[in-house]
Amino acid sequence: MCSRRGAPERELVDVNELIGEMIALLRSEASRFSISIRGDLGNDLPKVMADRVQLQQVLMNLMLNGIEAMKDVGIGGELTIKSHLDDNRQLLISVGDTGVGLEPEKAKQMFNAFFSTKPLGTGMGPAD
């Protein structure tokens, strides 16, 4: 899962399998901070045409952000990754945590370019 340049390599991806891989990869990091990871995965989801490595990177960044948001809370938290089909049969994936959340003023800026809540963050992507 290293960063690479060039055209995306699209293939049929089993999203639940990929989520399972990311959970297995990050479980020890989460347990260092008494954080549990729970997958709430939909049944019989279709495979999607996507760049597997890019999806892995996005999921890893979101999951690590969730772990970081909870690691200093003082009590064990829970990171939840969900997958399901919505009413329009679109595949949805969500990553949620039980951290303290964002202040309303920062939440309004969340999708602004170069915005970061981290002291040394660059605002260059979901890992920031």
Side-chain angles (χ1 to χ4, degrees), residues 5-100:
R5 296 173 194 247
E9 295 182 24
R10 296 173 57 88
E11 62 184 280
L12 281 175
V13 176
D14 181 331
V15 171
N16 283 348
E17 179 182 296
L18 189 135
I19 290 169
E21 291 169 3
M22 294 298 97
I23 289 172
L25 185 67
L26 295 175
R27 192 173 303 280
S28 64
E29 176 68 12
S31 55
R32 284 181 48 211
F33 304 104
S34 300
I35 296 168
S36 63
I37 301 180
R38 182 174 66 87
D40 182 4
L41 308 180
N43 296 319
D44 300 323
L45 298 179
K47 291 186 178 184
V48 294
M49 186 62 74
D51 186 304
R52 181 179 189 82
V53 173
Q54 286 181 350
L55 277 178
Q56 287 172 326
Q57 289 174 334
V58 168
L59 274 173
M60 179 179 282
N61 287 344
L62 291 171
M63 292 170 72
L64 286 171
N65 279 350
I67 291 168
E68 185 174 321
M70 293 182 287
K71 71 181 184 181
D72 296 326
V73 173
I75 56 171
E78 183 176 81
L79 185 70
T80 304
I81 301 89
K82 296 181 181 182
S83 66
H84 71 278
L85 289 179
D86 71 5
D87 294 336
N88 295 319
R89 300 212 29 88
Q90 292 185 342
L91 179 60
L92 301 179
I93 302 169
S94 64
V95 178
D97 64 67
T98 57
V100 296

